[in-house]
Amino acid sequence: MSLTHSQKLLSRLWSSYAQIRQFAVPAFAPSWHEESLDNPVLAPSASKLPSPSQSVEVDEFLKDKFGRKHSYLRISLTERCNLRCQYCMPAEGVQLTKKEHLLTTEEIIRIASVFVAGGVKKIRLTGGEPLLRPDIAEICEGLNSLPGLEDIVLTTNGVLLTRKLPSLLKSGLRSVNISLDTLIPAKFELIARRRGWEKVIEGIDSALDAGLVPLKINCVVTRGVNEEEMVDFVKWTEKKAVDVRFIEYMPFAENKWNDKKIVPYFEMLDIIKRKYPDLIRLQDKPNDTSKAYKVPGFKGQFGFITSMTANFCGSCNRLRLTADGNLKVGVELCFLLT
């Protein structure tokens, strides 16, 4: 009997993951500011230190040889995006995979069901821009029906969020991360090469009104572009129940990355402490990617995702399924096996 397309896809995924488990070595790069480990304000909490023996239980196929348990699956729904952020892709966009080679709704649900049956507890829908996928509510509904799945979350640029949010909430969406790199509309257009700042702000307010708190805001900090706005973002947390995460500028294909554009974690923190010296270092949850802080009395909080200067590969529990059915391990570019 011949295999169906979905069966062949699953077979390829398991073959790829077997190779990932064998050869994907977690990197433990030193921080650029190693003395921060002795500083109670800068130092990561105990939960951020590598701890392969996480309490979550998963099947053997979701464990690697370093003891990491992969209980979190990120699913890219599309390669398309309605913005052209300078740190993410070239102005002309990227070459897209033909539609017939992308995962269908049914294939996404079927693959996810296998991972959830193995112990995956959280699924994040990403892109490109996932809200461009017309069947996203149907996908959420299908995922929400999977026994054992605890969280369905979304990462979006927020441009289409206000219009799409009601149907997503009805379909089981529980949390949203929104990308916003500036509080200045004109600068937004410079960074994203598109208009839409007002729609993103509207989307943030819609999510807050819907009770999706704390609402995570992802802000990529680039030297010479927006590092002077970090204090304004922290001020934003005074009245809004948001969790602003400042992300170190990372290399992607064709984003013309260079290390001069990085504002490292310790420097970002120093900038904020000049304005708010009495910061509180919050306790991070296991497998968190963000080092969390709070200004006393403020409604929200903020943090730092230190992918370049103090990575968190040793405690990574993430897998990534691309829109065309390939499997990645880790937060960044560990392996892409086809």
Side-chain angles (χ1 to χ4, degrees):
M1 182 176 66
S2 62
L3 293 175
T4 66
H5 179 262
S6 294
Q7 288 171 328
K8 291 178 180 178
L9 178 61
L10 284 170
S11 177
R12 176 159 59 88
L13 283 170
W14 303 147
S15 175
S16 296
Y17 189 64
Q19 296 177 63
I20 289 172
R21 291 182 65 203
Q22 181 65 27
F23 298 111
V25 180
F28 298 98
S31 167
W32 286 7
H33 200 54
E34 290 183 351
E35 60 266 33
S36 67
L37 295 177
D38 298 323
N39 186 315
V41 175
L42 289 171
S45 62
S47 65
K48 296 306 295 283
L49 300 177
S51 55
S53 56
Q54 303 146 3
S55 60
V56 65
E57 291 302 321
V58 298
D59 286 355
E60 284 300 315
F61 81 90
L62 290 176
K63 300 176 185 178
D64 64 25
K65 68 177 184 178
F66 303 100
R68 296 180 298 180
K69 301 174 182 179
H70 300 288
S71 58
Y72 177 2
L73 178 65
R74 300 170 62 95
I75 302 177
S76 175
L77 299 185
T78 180
E79 299 169 343
R80 297 168 57 220
C81 189
N82 48 357
L83 300 180
R84 294 290 182 272
C85 297
Q86 294 189 33
Y87 55 78
C88 187
M89 66 167 66
E92 65 275 12
V94 295
Q95 185 175 356
L96 300 176
T97 303
K98 293 182 179 179
K99 185 177 179 180
E100 57 266 29
H101 297 307
L102 299 178
L103 295 176
T104 66
T105 306
E106 294 75 17
E107 288 170 339
I108 290 172
I109 302 304
R110 184 178 180 194
I111 293 170
S113 71
V114 177
F115 280 98
V116 172
V120 163
K121 301 299 183 184
K122 179 178 180 179
I123 290 180
R124 178 175 298 279
L125 303 178
T126 69
E129 172 47 50
L131 294 182
L132 290 175
R133 180 131 177 175
D135 59 347
I136 185 171
E138 183 181 350
I139 292 171
C140 279
E141 187 174 3
L143 295 174
N144 194 44
S145 69
L146 300 178
L149 183 61
E150 297 175 357
D151 285 311
I152 304 171
V153 297
L154 172 75
T155 294
T156 173
N157 60 36
V159 174
L160 301 174
L161 185 59
T162 298
R163 176 158 54 91
K164 299 268 191 173
L165 187 58
S167 62
L168 292 173
L169 293 175
K170 290 179 182 178
S171 301
L173 184 70
R174 298 181 179 89
S175 179
V176 177
N177 289 20
I178 301 176
S179 298
L180 180 65
D181 303 312
T182 179
L183 297 173
I184 303 171
K187 189 183 290 187
F188 178 94
E189 189 172 345
L190 174 67
I191 295 172
R193 302 189 181 103
R194 298 288 189 277
R195 296 180 180 177
W197 183 88
E198 292 81 4
K199 291 183 178 180
V200 177
I201 297 299
E202 183 183 357
I204 290 172
D205 289 337
S206 296
L208 290 173
D209 290 343
L212 298 179
V213 295
L215 181 68
K216 293 180 180 179
I217 307 296
N218 293 336
C219 177
V220 176
V221 180
T222 308
R223 190 178 300 281
V225 177
N226 63 345
E227 76 271 30
E228 80 286 354
E229 290 191 67
M230 288 189 296
V231 169
D232 295 330
F233 271 104
V234 174
K235 175 66 176 176
W236 218 37
T237 70
E238 182 177 7
K239 303 296 183 182
K240 291 183 180 289
V242 294
D243 179 3
V244 179
R245 290 112 60 81
F246 299 112
I247 303 173
E248 292 178 337
Y249 180 63
M250 295 182 291
F252 290 93
E254 301 182 43
N255 75 344
K256 298 180 181 179
W257 180 90
N258 68 72
D259 58 7
K260 293 182 176 61
K261 294 182 179 181
I262 295 176
V263 183
Y265 159 48
F266 72 89
E267 183 178 338
M268 289 192 282
L269 184 58
D270 184 60
I271 291 171
I272 294 170
K273 286 184 67 181
R274 293 172 198 166
K275 175 67 176 180
Y276 300 105
D278 299 325
L279 297 178
I280 299 172
R281 178 69 165 99
L282 301 177
Q283 177 69 37
D284 302 311
K285 297 177 182 178
N287 306 116
D288 269 357
T289 58
S290 177
K291 299 173 174 63
Y293 292 82
K294 186 180 181 70
V295 178
F298 279 23
K299 194 172 184 179
Q301 63 185 66
F302 67 96
F304 304 92
I305 297 180
T306 59
S307 305
M308 299 304 297
T309 63
N311 70 48
F312 31 82
C313 299
S315 60
C316 181
N317 67 335
R318 294 155 179 77
L319 294 171
R320 178 176 174 85
L321 181 65
T322 64
D324 60 351
N326 287 298
L327 197 63
K328 288 184 179 182
V329 65
V331 181
E332 294 135 317
L333 308 176
C334 294
F335 279 85
L336 175 59
L337 301 174
T338 58

